[in-house]
Each structure stands twice: as structure tokens, then as C-alpha cells.
Amino acid sequence: VRDIGQLVTNRPELGEGATGVLRHVDLVVDNGTVAWIGAAGTSPAADVMLDAAGRCVIPGFVDSHTHLVFAGDRVEEFTARMAGTRYQAGGIQSTVAATRGTPSEVLMATAAKLAREAEAQGTTTLETKSGYGLTVTDESRCLDVAGTVAEEVTFLGAHVVAPEYRGRVDDYVALVKGPMLQECAPKARWCDVFCEEGAFGPEAAREILQAARGRGLGLRVHANQLSFGQGVQLAVEMGAASADHCTHLDAADVDALAGGSTVATLLPGAEFSTRSPYPEARRLLDSGATVALATDCNPGTSYTTSMPFVIALAVREMHMTPDEALYAATAGGARALRRDELGALAPGSRGDLVVLDAPTAAHLAYRPGVDLVATVVRAGRVLFAGGARPA
Ligand SMILES: [Zn+2]
């Protein structure tokens, strides 16, 4: 990639500021990995040349939290909510019913369309989950679908209690940590639990996470989204890679995140789409916690695949600086997935990058709603090249 006006490396030791910006450089990706960065015009010969034409190049976005395997939509629920109805976790059940009744090929087509949509907006790594099947068979086939569109696959049998287990939470927890986990664990890297009133309490969540860890899965928790609770503490205590949402945090939760290895993954698309108060990102950042940003793309509470939109929300609504938001959407996501080779552009990083049609990365928040993604490269291969734009 030649003639990069500003290169965001996300390695402060390599360049200026918190995101380690280098000016007027070329970058070489060899065999999928960043091999060389040096002054513009001095790069060694390459088989394929991409001209950044003085624009900004950033690491590809790492969207560490999505739910792309589902059928139907919930636009009527959204419309009702915008007219004043409050979001409750039970809305998930309508997507469960639709997903169970839809063949895997159709689920795969929907998920693939959303994954392409994400790529066109600069996402080079996706995590996605099951969680709308809630039977052994349906969770298993949802994970098969997830594996066709995402690098990182998460088992979320504990999304909500399956409708046929209403009033029998203990029996459903036994199913999840028993036969469902046995069938699903080989198809996933991670296990996630929605720890929330109306979903799973901390004791049930702990049992499921312990069983998953016993089967070799890494841990993630949907925590403290709709109310204060034990989810964040549980995630940190169990060494989960990420506690996701973190919308209602007390001082002990913030301290736990600051002192542990668990990333606080914020999903402001959910607060936007449910018209709810945003997480206190400033409090987390100022405490020293590692923050990630992700879309939470799902049909109920955040039907967006756009990381640039999430960055704009993080800056405008959560008082993150443009640098902090970009870092959280790239390096933060990589930390939340424990993938050290992602989320940065330095020698040894995977060659995942986005050429922005802008001179600096701050334009992602400064120009909300405008498509600034010109070219997307994953592991050195062009995934997406946008149409011609007016000069
Ligand atoms: Zn989620």
C-alpha cells in the first residue's frame, strides 16, 4: 500500500499519539502479514500495489460481538419501542420461533449478507453466536451457520430460557450445560451467557460457564445490560475474555474490570436502538480498564453492522475521543477475542486494513452517516473496493 498520508498503527511506540500514527509511509503485506513499513516511495517491489493517494489507513475493525444467525426481523417491536414501549429480554423469543422454523441454507444466506455488509464498512474480523435456537439441534445448526461467516464462533445456548422450559429454569440450565454443550462445544471457541433478570441469574450463569470451561471453551458474558447485577463480577472472577454491554456499573464493577484481564465491551448501538442511557465509557477508560466497541448486530436491539456508526456514537454519546473509539473498535476488539495479531498495523500483524476516503481517522466520527470506507483488505487480499466517489 503506497502513499499513505496517515497510518494508524495502534502501537504508540511506533508513532504519534495514543494510536501511534505514522505520516507519509508505504506498507507491505507479505503472505498475509504486515512485513514492512517505511517512508513513502521507498517500499520494495510488490505483486499488487494499492494506492492510498495520501489518505488515511487504519487497522480493519474487529467486531467482537454480533448475533448474525437468525430469521425474520423485529421492526414492529422497534417501531413500538420508539413510540414508548420499554425493551424487555423476552423479545428474543419471537426471533427464536422464526429461527427454528427456517432452514439452515436460508439462515446462512442472511448471515452471509450481513457479513458482506460488515466487510463493506471496514470489518475484517467478526465474532458471531448461536442463541436463537435453544434446542440441541437448533443451537448446533446455528453454530454450523455461524462458522460459515465468522472467524470467531460463540455458543450462546444460555441466551434466554427456551419457551418450552418456561417455569423450569433449572431443567433448561441442565440441558445447556449437559447435552447441548456436549453437542455444541466442538463447533465453537467461546461460550457466552446472558446474565440478566429475565434471562439467567448469576448462579445459573456460573454453572454454565464452569461446564463450558471444562470443555475447553473460552468465556464471555452478556453482563449488566438492563440492570445492575453480578454479571461483570462473575466475568472477571472467571477470567472471561469479555464482559459485554456494561451499561449499569457500580464502583466495584469498574474496579474489577480495571484490575482484571476481562475487556469491557461496549455496544452503544443497543442503547441507541432501545433509547436507553449509554454505558459510562469515560469512567471505564479513566480507571484503566480495556474497552472494546462492537455492533451487537441483532434483529431486536441493534440491527446495524456498521462499526463507523458505533464509533460515531461512542464519541458523541459516550465522550470517548476519536482516538479512543478507533482503538476500542480495532485493538480493543482484538483483546476481547484474545487475538494479538489483529487490531494493529505493525510488522507481524495480520494484513487487515481499511483505506479511508479521509485524511484522518477522526473523520469517522466527524462525518457521521457518511460512507468513508474506500478499500478493505484482509490478510493482504482485497475484500471490498468501493465505487468511485467524487474527488
Ligand atoms: Zn449480544
Side-chain angles (χ1 to χ4, degrees), residues 213-269:
R213 185 159 62 189
R215 291 194 176 270
L217 297 181
L219 308 181
R220 331 183 64 74
V221 181
H222 278 67
N224 303 47
Q225 176 187 3
L226 305 177
S227 58
F228 292 94
Q230 300 298 306
V232 163
Q233 301 278 355
L234 179 66
V236 174
E237 181 194 320
M238 296 204 62
S242 181
D244 297 50
H245 285 288
C246 295
T247 310
H248 295 83
L249 301 183
D250 63 22
D253 296 328
V254 174
D255 288 347
L257 288 164
S261 60
T262 302
V263 173
T265 300
L266 309 183
L267 309 165

Coordinates of all heavy atoms in Angstrom, one line a residue, residues 213-269:
R213 N -16.0 -24.1 30.4 CA -14.6 -24.1 30.6 C -14.0 -25.5 30.7 O -13.0 -25.8 30.2 CB -14.2 -23.3 31.9 CG -12.8 -23.1 32.1 CD -12.5 -22.0 33.0 NE -13.0 -22.2 34.3 CZ -13.0 -21.3 35.3 NH1 -12.6 -20.1 35.0 NH2 -13.6 -21.5 36.4
G214 N -14.8 -26.4 31.3 CA -14.4 -27.8 31.4 C -14.3 -28.5 30.1 O -13.6 -29.5 29.9
R215 N -15.0 -27.9 29.1 CA -15.0 -28.5 27.7 C -14.0 -27.7 26.8 O -14.0 -27.8 25.6 CB -16.4 -28.5 27.1 CG -17.2 -29.6 27.8 CD -18.5 -29.9 27.0 NE -19.3 -30.9 27.6 CZ -19.1 -32.2 27.3 NH1 -18.2 -32.6 26.5 NH2 -19.8 -33.1 28.0
G216 N -13.2 -26.8 27.5 CA -12.2 -26.1 26.7 C -12.6 -24.9 26.0 O -11.8 -24.3 25.3
L217 N -13.8 -24.3 26.3 CA -14.2 -23.1 25.7 C -13.7 -21.9 26.5 O -13.7 -21.9 27.7 CB -15.7 -23.1 25.6 CG -16.4 -24.1 24.7 CD1 -17.9 -23.9 24.7 CD2 -15.8 -24.1 23.3
G218 N -13.4 -20.8 25.8 CA -13.2 -19.5 26.4 C -14.5 -18.9 26.8 O -15.6 -19.3 26.3
L219 N -14.5 -17.9 27.7 CA -15.7 -17.4 28.3 C -16.0 -16.0 27.9 O -15.1 -15.2 27.9 CB -15.7 -17.6 29.8 CG -15.4 -19.0 30.3 CD1 -15.4 -19.0 31.8 CD2 -16.3 -20.1 29.7
R220 N -17.3 -15.6 27.8 CA -17.8 -14.3 27.5 C -19.1 -14.2 28.3 O -19.8 -15.2 28.5 CB -18.0 -14.0 26.0 CG -17.1 -14.8 25.1 CD -17.3 -14.4 23.6 NE -16.9 -13.1 23.4 CZ -15.7 -12.6 23.3 NH1 -14.7 -13.5 23.5 NH2 -15.4 -11.4 23.1
V221 N -19.5 -13.0 28.7 CA -20.7 -12.8 29.4 C -21.4 -11.5 28.9 O -20.8 -10.5 28.8 CB -20.5 -12.6 31.0 CG1 -21.8 -12.5 31.7 CG2 -19.7 -13.8 31.5
H222 N -22.7 -11.7 28.6 CA -23.6 -10.5 28.4 C -23.9 -10.0 29.8 O -24.7 -10.7 30.6 CB -24.9 -10.9 27.7 CG -24.9 -11.0 26.3 ND1 -24.2 -12.0 25.6 CD2 -25.5 -10.3 25.3 CE1 -24.3 -11.8 24.3 NE2 -25.1 -10.8 24.1
A223 N -23.4 -8.9 30.2 CA -23.4 -8.5 31.6 C -23.9 -7.1 31.9 O -23.5 -6.2 31.1 CB -22.0 -8.6 32.2
N224 N -24.8 -6.9 32.9 CA -25.2 -5.6 33.3 C -25.7 -4.7 32.2 O -25.4 -3.5 32.2 CB -24.0 -4.9 34.0 CG -23.5 -5.7 35.2 OD1 -23.2 -6.9 35.1 ND2 -23.3 -5.0 36.3
Q225 N -26.5 -5.3 31.3 CA -27.1 -4.5 30.2 C -28.3 -3.7 30.7 O -28.4 -2.5 30.5 CB -27.5 -5.4 29.0 CG -28.2 -4.6 27.9 CD -28.8 -5.5 26.8 OE1 -28.7 -6.7 26.9 NE2 -29.3 -4.9 25.8
L226 N -29.3 -4.4 31.3 CA -30.6 -3.8 31.6 C -30.7 -3.3 33.0 O -31.6 -2.6 33.4 CB -31.7 -4.8 31.2 CG -31.7 -5.3 29.8 CD1 -32.8 -6.3 29.6 CD2 -31.8 -4.2 28.8
S227 N -29.8 -3.9 33.9 CA -29.9 -3.5 35.3 C -28.5 -3.8 36.0 O -27.7 -4.5 35.4 CB -31.0 -4.3 36.0 OG -30.7 -5.7 35.8
F228 N -28.4 -3.3 37.2 CA -27.2 -3.6 38.0 C -27.3 -5.1 38.3 O -28.4 -5.7 38.4 CB -27.1 -2.8 39.3 CG -26.9 -1.3 39.0 CD1 -27.9 -0.4 38.9 CD2 -25.6 -0.9 38.9 CE1 -27.7 0.9 38.6 CE2 -25.3 0.4 38.6 CZ -26.4 1.4 38.5
G229 N -26.1 -5.8 38.5 CA -26.2 -7.2 38.8 C -24.8 -7.8 38.9 O -23.8 -7.0 39.0
Q230 N -24.7 -9.1 39.0 CA -23.5 -9.8 39.3 C -22.7 -10.2 38.0 O -21.6 -10.8 38.1 CB -23.8 -11.1 40.1 CG -24.5 -10.9 41.4 CD -23.6 -10.1 42.3 OE1 -22.5 -10.4 42.6 NE2 -24.2 -8.9 42.8
G231 N -23.2 -9.9 36.9 CA -22.6 -10.4 35.6 C -21.1 -10.0 35.4 O -20.3 -10.8 35.1
V232 N -20.8 -8.7 35.6 CA -19.5 -8.2 35.4 C -18.5 -8.9 36.4 O -17.5 -9.4 36.1 CB -19.4 -6.7 35.5 CG1 -18.0 -6.2 35.7 CG2 -20.0 -6.0 34.3
Q233 N -18.9 -8.9 37.7 CA -18.1 -9.5 38.7 C -17.8 -11.0 38.4 O -16.7 -11.5 38.5 CB -18.8 -9.4 40.1 CG -19.1 -8.0 40.5 CD -17.9 -7.3 41.1 OE1 -16.8 -7.9 41.4 NE2 -18.0 -6.1 41.4
L234 N -18.9 -11.7 37.9 CA -18.7 -13.1 37.6 C -17.7 -13.3 36.4 O -16.9 -14.1 36.4 CB -20.1 -13.6 37.2 CG -20.2 -15.1 36.7 CD1 -19.8 -16.0 37.9 CD2 -21.6 -15.4 36.2
A235 N -17.9 -12.4 35.4 CA -17.0 -12.5 34.2 C -15.5 -12.3 34.6 O -14.7 -13.1 34.2 CB -17.4 -11.4 33.2
V236 N -15.3 -11.3 35.5 CA -13.9 -11.0 35.9 C -13.4 -12.2 36.7 O -12.3 -12.7 36.5 CB -13.8 -9.7 36.7 CG1 -12.4 -9.5 37.2 CG2 -14.2 -8.5 35.7
E237 N -14.2 -12.6 37.7 CA -13.8 -13.7 38.6 C -13.4 -15.0 37.8 O -12.5 -15.7 38.2 CB -14.9 -13.9 39.5 CG -14.7 -15.0 40.6 CD -16.1 -15.4 41.2 OE1 -16.9 -14.5 41.5 OE2 -16.3 -16.6 41.4
M238 N -14.2 -15.2 36.7 CA -14.0 -16.5 36.0 C -12.9 -16.3 34.9 O -12.7 -17.2 34.1 CB -15.3 -17.0 35.4 CG -16.2 -17.4 36.6 SD -17.5 -18.6 36.1 CE -16.5 -20.0 35.6
G239 N -12.4 -15.1 34.8 CA -11.3 -14.8 33.8 C -11.9 -14.8 32.3 O -11.2 -15.2 31.4
A240 N -13.2 -14.4 32.2 CA -13.8 -14.3 30.9 C -13.0 -13.3 30.0 O -12.4 -12.3 30.6 CB -15.2 -13.8 31.0
A241 N -12.9 -13.5 28.7 CA -12.2 -12.6 27.8 C -12.9 -11.2 27.8 O -12.3 -10.2 27.6 CB -12.1 -13.2 26.4
S242 N -14.3 -11.3 28.0 CA -15.0 -10.0 27.8 C -16.3 -10.0 28.6 O -16.9 -11.1 28.7 CB -15.3 -9.9 26.3 OG -16.0 -8.7 26.0
A243 N -16.6 -8.9 29.1 CA -17.9 -8.6 29.7 C -18.6 -7.6 28.8 O -18.1 -6.5 28.6 CB -17.8 -8.1 31.1
D244 N -19.7 -8.0 28.2 CA -20.3 -7.2 27.2 C -21.6 -6.5 27.6 O -22.4 -7.0 28.3 CB -20.6 -8.1 26.0 CG -19.4 -8.8 25.4 OD1 -18.6 -9.3 26.2 OD2 -19.2 -8.7 24.2
H245 N -21.7 -5.3 27.2 CA -22.7 -4.3 27.5 C -22.2 -3.3 28.6 O -22.0 -2.1 28.3 CB -24.1 -4.9 27.9 CG -24.8 -5.4 26.7 ND1 -25.4 -4.6 25.7 CD2 -25.1 -6.7 26.3 CE1 -26.0 -5.3 24.8 NE2 -25.8 -6.6 25.1
C246 N -22.1 -3.8 29.8 CA -21.6 -2.9 30.9 C -22.3 -1.6 31.0 O -21.6 -0.6 31.2 CB -20.1 -2.7 30.7 SG -19.1 -4.2 30.8
T247 N -23.6 -1.6 30.9 CA -24.4 -0.4 30.9 C -24.7 0.1 32.3 O -24.8 1.3 32.5 CB -25.7 -0.6 30.1 OG1 -25.3 -1.2 28.8 CG2 -26.4 0.8 29.8
H248 N -24.8 -0.8 33.3 CA -25.1 -0.4 34.6 C -24.0 -0.9 35.5 O -24.0 -2.1 35.9 CB -26.4 -1.0 35.1 CG -27.6 -0.5 34.4 ND1 -28.0 -1.0 33.1 CD2 -28.5 0.5 34.7 CE1 -29.1 -0.3 32.7 NE2 -29.4 0.6 33.6
L249 N -23.0 -0.1 35.9 CA -21.9 -0.5 36.6 C -21.8 0.3 37.9 O -21.9 1.5 37.9 CB -20.6 -0.2 35.9 CG -20.4 -0.9 34.5 CD1 -19.0 -0.6 33.9 CD2 -20.6 -2.4 34.6
D250 N -21.5 -0.4 39.1 CA -21.2 0.3 40.3 C -19.7 0.3 40.4 O -19.0 -0.2 39.6 CB -21.9 -0.4 41.5 CG -21.5 -1.8 41.8 OD1 -20.4 -2.2 41.3 OD2 -22.2 -2.5 42.4
A251 N -19.3 1.0 41.5 CA -17.8 1.2 41.7 C -17.0 -0.1 41.7 O -15.9 -0.2 41.2 CB -17.6 2.0 43.0
A252 N -17.6 -1.1 42.4 CA -16.9 -2.4 42.5 C -16.8 -3.1 41.1 O -15.7 -3.7 40.8 CB -17.7 -3.3 43.4
D253 N -17.8 -2.9 40.2 CA -17.7 -3.4 38.9 C -16.5 -2.7 38.1 O -15.8 -3.4 37.4 CB -19.0 -3.2 38.1 CG -20.2 -3.9 38.7 OD1 -19.9 -5.0 39.3 OD2 -21.3 -3.4 38.6
V254 N -16.5 -1.4 38.2 CA -15.4 -0.7 37.5 C -14.0 -1.1 38.0 O -13.1 -1.4 37.2 CB -15.6 0.8 37.6 CG1 -14.4 1.6 37.0 CG2 -16.9 1.3 37.0
D255 N -13.9 -1.2 39.3 CA -12.6 -1.7 39.9 C -12.3 -3.1 39.4 O -11.1 -3.3 39.1 CB -12.7 -1.7 41.4 CG -12.7 -0.3 42.0 OD1 -12.4 0.7 41.3 OD2 -13.0 -0.1 43.2
A256 N -13.2 -3.9 39.4 CA -13.0 -5.3 38.9 C -12.5 -5.3 37.5 O -11.5 -6.0 37.2 CB -14.2 -6.2 39.1
L257 N -13.1 -4.6 36.6 CA -12.7 -4.5 35.2 C -11.3 -3.9 35.1 O -10.5 -4.3 34.3 CB -13.7 -3.8 34.4 CG -15.0 -4.5 34.2 CD1 -16.1 -3.6 33.7 CD2 -14.9 -5.7 33.2
A258 N -11.1 -2.8 35.9 CA -9.7 -2.2 35.8 C -8.6 -3.1 36.3 O -7.5 -3.0 35.8 CB -9.8 -0.9 36.6
G259 N -9.0 -4.0 37.3 CA -7.9 -4.8 37.9 C -7.8 -6.2 37.2 O -6.8 -6.9 37.5
G260 N -8.7 -6.6 36.3 CA -8.6 -7.9 35.8 C -8.2 -7.9 34.3 O -7.8 -6.9 33.8
S261 N -8.3 -9.1 33.7 CA -7.9 -9.2 32.3 C -9.2 -9.2 31.4 O -9.0 -9.5 30.2 CB -7.2 -10.5 32.1 OG -8.0 -11.6 32.5
T262 N -10.3 -9.0 32.0 CA -11.6 -9.0 31.2 C -11.8 -7.7 30.5 O -11.8 -6.6 31.2 CB -12.8 -9.4 32.1 OG1 -12.5 -10.6 32.7 CG2 -14.1 -9.4 31.4
V263 N -12.0 -7.7 29.2 CA -12.3 -6.5 28.4 C -13.7 -6.0 28.7 O -14.6 -6.9 28.7 CB -12.0 -6.7 26.9 CG1 -12.4 -5.5 26.1 CG2 -10.5 -7.0 26.7
A264 N -14.0 -4.7 28.8 CA -15.3 -4.2 28.9 C -15.7 -3.9 27.4 O -15.2 -2.9 26.8 CB -15.3 -2.9 29.7
T265 N -16.6 -4.7 26.9 CA -17.1 -4.4 25.5 C -18.4 -3.7 25.5 O -19.4 -4.1 26.0 CB -17.3 -5.8 24.8 OG1 -16.0 -6.5 24.8 CG2 -17.7 -5.6 23.3
L266 N -18.3 -2.5 25.0 CA -19.5 -1.6 25.0 C -20.2 -1.7 23.6 O -19.5 -1.7 22.6 CB -19.1 -0.1 25.2 CG -18.2 0.0 26.5 CD1 -17.8 1.5 26.7 CD2 -18.8 -0.6 27.7
L267 N -21.5 -1.6 23.7 CA -22.3 -1.9 22.5 C -23.4 -0.8 22.3 O -24.6 -1.0 22.5 CB -23.0 -3.3 22.6 CG -22.1 -4.4 23.0 CD1 -22.9 -5.6 23.4 CD2 -21.2 -4.8 21.8
P268 N -22.9 0.5 22.0 CA -23.9 1.6 22.1 C -25.0 1.6 21.0 O -25.9 2.3 21.2 CB -22.9 2.8 21.9 CG -21.7 2.3 21.2 CD -21.6 0.9 21.7
G269 N -24.8 0.7 20.0 CA -25.9 0.5 19.1 C -27.2 0.0 19.8 O -28.3 0.4 19.4

